[in-house]
Amino acid sequence: SEGEDSIAIDNFKYVTENANWNVAAWVRLGGLYFDNRKYDEAEVVMNEAIISFPEDFYVNLILGLSLAQQSKHNEAEKYLKKSTLINPRDITALSAYAFTLNQIKEDEKAIFYLNQALEIEPDDVQLIGTLAMIYNGMRKFELSDSLYERALELEPNDPLINNNYSYAFATRGIELERALDMVKISIKADSLNSSYLDTIGWVYFMLGKYPEAKLYLEKAIEVGGESAVMLDHLGDVEFKLGNNSKALELWEKAIKLDP
């Protein structure tokens, strides 16, 4: 509670080593690692805990979330599913499981679990936004747009909703000026978020403002590291700027990262 997480971790470690029957210590240790974004360490701890406590809700949830944060969605799926079976009314479990199902291309199942969550919390902006994102990926744009509009009615300055809706518009080449206004809200909230930087770069690209696009996309890669999508976007910008050899180099890197 005093923010001394490293000392807390040492103490919880002591408990798990000397009273390993104490499930609360395992949960708090794994939770602290997770909250400090040490997802690999949280995974190790919760993999130990799951052996002794296979039916514990929080052990399954934290292990599933830790795996999902490392993009190990196929491994995360069974633990997140188990957490929804143990506690079918927990919003975090339902939404995390739905997101992982979306990542492993099981969109219809993801929609089912999101709708379950929305029955419990109909005005949860992040649930609405996740559902909108899935429908956008399925090219059900009317449904997607109506959900994004609903989310913005509830939280007009939510950075994630503004970013995702902006990106949805940009990929379709529509409402680009509005898309720019929305992603600027996201950037104002978190100027070092690589996803937001990538989005604003792509909006500028679609507007034909290639120097601005290059500036933001380079910043996105600098902050967030190389990803196939961001390298592909920057390659497109370099191509439009006439830097063909640089564009080819970036596209080749993108293909290697995601064939």
Side-chain angles (χ1 to χ4, degrees), residues 47 50 60 63-64 67 75-83:
N47 265 323
I50 201 79
N60 280 278
L63 179 52
L67 290 162
E75 295 174 55
E77 189 270 340
K78 67 177 179 179
Y79 299 110
L80 292 173
K81 181 179 182 179
K82 186 72 173 282
S83 70

Side-chain angles (χ1 to χ4, degrees), residues 8-33 42 45-46 48-49 53 56 58-59 62:
I9 284 170
D10 287 342
N11 281 286
F12 284 130
K13 270 186 184 175
Y14 179 88
V15 181
T16 59
E17 289 163 5
N18 293 279
N20 62 8
W21 46 264
N22 188 329
V23 66
W26 289 100
V27 168
R28 289 177 176 178
L29 179 58
L32 272 172
Y33 278 132
V45 167
M46 301 322 284
E48 287 185 58
F53 311 103
D56 186 86
Y58 288 107
V59 171
I62 296 169

Side-chain angles (χ1 to χ4, degrees), residues 14-247:
Y14 179 88
V15 181
T16 59
E17 289 163 5
N18 293 279
N20 62 8
W21 46 264
N22 188 329
V23 66
W26 289 100
V27 168
R28 289 177 176 178
L29 179 58
L32 272 172
Y33 278 132
F34 184 86
D35 290 344
N36 283 278
R37 300 185 180 185
K38 296 178 178 179
Y39 304 123
D40 53 342
E41 293 181 65
E43 178 192 348
V44 170
V45 167
M46 301 322 284
N47 265 323
E48 287 185 58
I50 201 79
I51 296 167
S52 300
F53 311 103
E55 301 301 317
D56 186 86
F57 169 71
Y58 288 107
V59 171
N60 280 278
L61 179 63
I62 296 169
L63 179 52
L65 290 171
S66 301
L67 290 162
Q69 285 291 338
Q70 298 173 81
S71 298
K72 299 177 180 178
H73 294 291
N74 286 304
E75 295 174 55
E77 189 270 340
K78 67 177 179 179
Y79 299 110
L80 292 173
K81 181 179 182 179
K82 186 72 173 282
S83 70
T84 65
L85 292 172
I86 297 167
N87 188 351
R89 292 187 63 79
D90 186 86
I91 298 297
T92 301
L94 289 167
S95 60
Y97 185 41
F99 181 77
T100 283
L101 286 168
N102 168 248
Q103 295 300 300
I104 59 176
K105 312 299 182 190
E106 294 194 28
D107 287 336
E108 294 297 342
K109 278 189 185 178
I111 289 166
F112 172 80
Y113 282 96
L114 283 169
N115 281 324
Q116 277 198 327
L118 282 165
E119 283 181 20
I120 301 164
E121 292 286 349
D123 291 339
D124 187 301
V125 167
Q126 297 313 318
L127 290 174
I128 296 167
T130 303
L131 189 56
M133 181 188 70
I134 291 172
Y135 278 130
N136 184 72
M138 297 170 75
R139 304 185 68 79
K140 295 184 177 181
F141 299 129
E142 191 174 341
L143 269 172
S144 175
D145 290 355
S146 67
L147 286 161
Y148 277 130
E149 295 293 350
R150 169 73 179 138
L152 287 176
E153 282 176 19
L154 292 165
E155 293 286 349
N157 292 314
D158 184 278
L160 185 60
I161 297 296
N162 276 283
N163 175 77
N164 291 356
Y165 199 13
S166 172
Y167 191 72
F169 277 154
T171 55
R172 287 149 61 192
I174 63 169
E175 300 274 3
L176 293 175
E177 291 297 342
R178 186 183 175 197
L180 185 59
D181 289 339
M182 285 193 293
V183 73
K184 281 181 178 178
I185 292 170
S186 308
I187 293 287
K188 186 177 180 181
D190 186 355
S191 62
L192 295 178
N193 185 303
S194 60
S195 293
Y196 301 169
L197 291 164
D198 176 62
T199 297
I200 195 169
W202 194 240
V203 171
Y204 275 126
F205 174 84
M206 294 301 290
L207 285 165
K209 298 181 177 181
Y210 304 126
E212 293 92 335
K214 181 177 178 178
L215 177 72
Y216 280 105
L217 288 166
E218 285 179 338
K219 183 70 174 175
I221 292 168
E222 178 191 331
V223 169
E226 293 183 346
S227 77
V229 170
M230 289 190 280
L231 289 168
D232 181 40
H233 286 169
L234 185 55
D236 292 353
V237 172
E238 294 287 10
F239 180 73
K240 287 291 188 181
L241 289 169
N243 304 324
N244 293 358
S245 60
K246 183 64 177 176

